[in-house]
Amino acid sequence: DAGITQSPRYKITETGRQVTLMCHQTWSHSYMFWYRQDLGHGLRLIYYSAAADITDKGEVPDGYVVSRSKTENFPLTLESATRSQTSVYFCASRYGPATSGNTIYFGEGSWLTVV
Amino acid sequence: TQLLEQSPQFLSIQEGENLTVYCNSSSVFSSLQWYRQEPGEGPVLLVTVVTGGEVKKLKRLTFQFGDARKDSSLHITAAQPGDTGLYLCAGAVETSGSRLTFGEGTQLTVNP
């Protein structure tokens, strides 16, 4: 089915380990995003990408790495996981710029717990 | 960073009551969106408003964009238990066309 999918949906990892969250969209949307959602902070942008091979930092990029070698994939890597990175991570995609009122579509989320 | 403040953070009401959720900022937004998020799922777009003073209706939900495009409100008439969820506003600024800034959300619970 078309859409935006994230994997894994649930992950428990240990402090210091590298973790990669995958995101795949089938709409060929130019823009892709990674957000984290925490109680008291709402949705905060980690990284985004306007096109393949173009990525930019969001509000909270420290400790994360992204890549966008193909339009449809936008993996997020935690290089050395910390407890403060325990969160729900949402991938999203959008056809065009936000200022044009384009709809952003979210994946179902990846629940990450760092112990 | 443009901040969007939502109020109230939590709202618990009885079925049939009316309610209003507010989204305020000191920044001017070129567009503002409202999302609804249910547990275990990602946010889903409800509406986009782009013109100052614009009012949009979606069944029992009425969305308004402030004249100065700095604030917005969501009014629900005769709330139903199915309206329960996290309501998020998000704004786009002309100078950061790719990015949306989200408010912290309003958790609405409608009790039968």
Side-chain angles (χ1 to χ4, degrees):
Chain A
D1 290 338
I4 182 165
T5 55
Q6 295 182 228
S7 63
R9 291 292 313 279
Y10 305 94
K11 176 79 176 177
I12 300 175
T13 191
E14 294 178 340
T15 301
R17 290 195 178 265
Q18 184 180 82
V19 176
T20 296
L21 305 180
M22 305 300 293
C23 180
H24 177 78
Q25 53 103 356
T26 60
W27 294 302
S28 297
H29 283 171
S30 295
Y31 293 86
M32 294 190 75
F33 308 84
W34 274 106
Y35 289 89
R36 59 178 290 175
Q37 187 172 34
D38 305 286
L39 198 61
H41 291 282
L43 280 161
R44 291 182 292 174
L45 183 63
I46 305 171
Y47 269 97
Y48 66 102
S49 168
D53 297 322
I54 301 174
T55 61
D56 279 297
K57 295 179 180 179
E59 299 173 61
V60 288
D62 293 345
Y64 303 95
V65 174
V66 293
S67 61
R68 186 117 181 256
S69 58
K70 292 184 178 181
T71 299
E72 61 266 30
N73 297 322
F74 192 38
L76 175 74
T77 298
L78 287 66
E79 295 183 295
S80 178
T82 64
R83 290 194 179 89
S84 65
Q85 292 179 308
T86 292
S87 185
V88 184
Y89 291 86
F90 286 98
C91 179
S93 73
R94 194 177 65 218
Y95 172 74
T99 48
S100 300
N102 287 288
T103 301
I104 188 171
Y105 296 91
F106 285 87
E108 293 183 315
S110 293
W111 271 250
L112 177 67
T113 300
V114 183
V115 298
Chain B
T1 302
Q2 296 79 29
L3 291 177
L4 272 169
E5 295 184 355
Q6 281 187 244
S7 61
Q9 276 191 290
F10 300 94
L11 190 55
S12 180
I13 62 172
Q14 294 301 120
E15 183 176 1
E17 293 183 3
N18 301 332
L19 67 112
T20 302
V21 176
Y22 299 93
C23 179
N24 295 297
S25 176
S26 58
S27 300
V28 175
F29 292 98
S30 55
S31 67
L32 196 137
Q33 298 178 326
W34 284 92
Y35 293 80
R36 179 163 165 259
Q37 184 178 17
E38 298 195 28
E41 298 181 7
V44 176
L45 180 68
L46 294 173
V47 76
T48 300
V49 285
V50 296
T51 305
E54 183 176 4
V55 176
K56 281 192 174 179
K57 292 192 175 183
L58 186 65
K59 297 184 180 178
R60 293 175 293 100
L61 278 60
T62 302
F63 305 86
Q64 185 162 7
F65 202 11
D67 290 341
R69 292 185 291 140
K70 293 183 178 181
D71 55 84
S72 181
S73 64
L74 158 60
H75 182 78
I76 301 179
T77 304
Q80 298 177 1
D83 295 327
T84 293
L86 179 68
Y87 289 82
L88 296 156
C89 65
V93 178
E94 194 66 44
T95 53
S96 59
S98 301
R99 301 169 60 156
L100 276 178
T101 298
F102 280 85
E104 290 184 13
T106 295
Q107 181 61 53
L108 171 65
T109 302
V110 182
N111 303 299

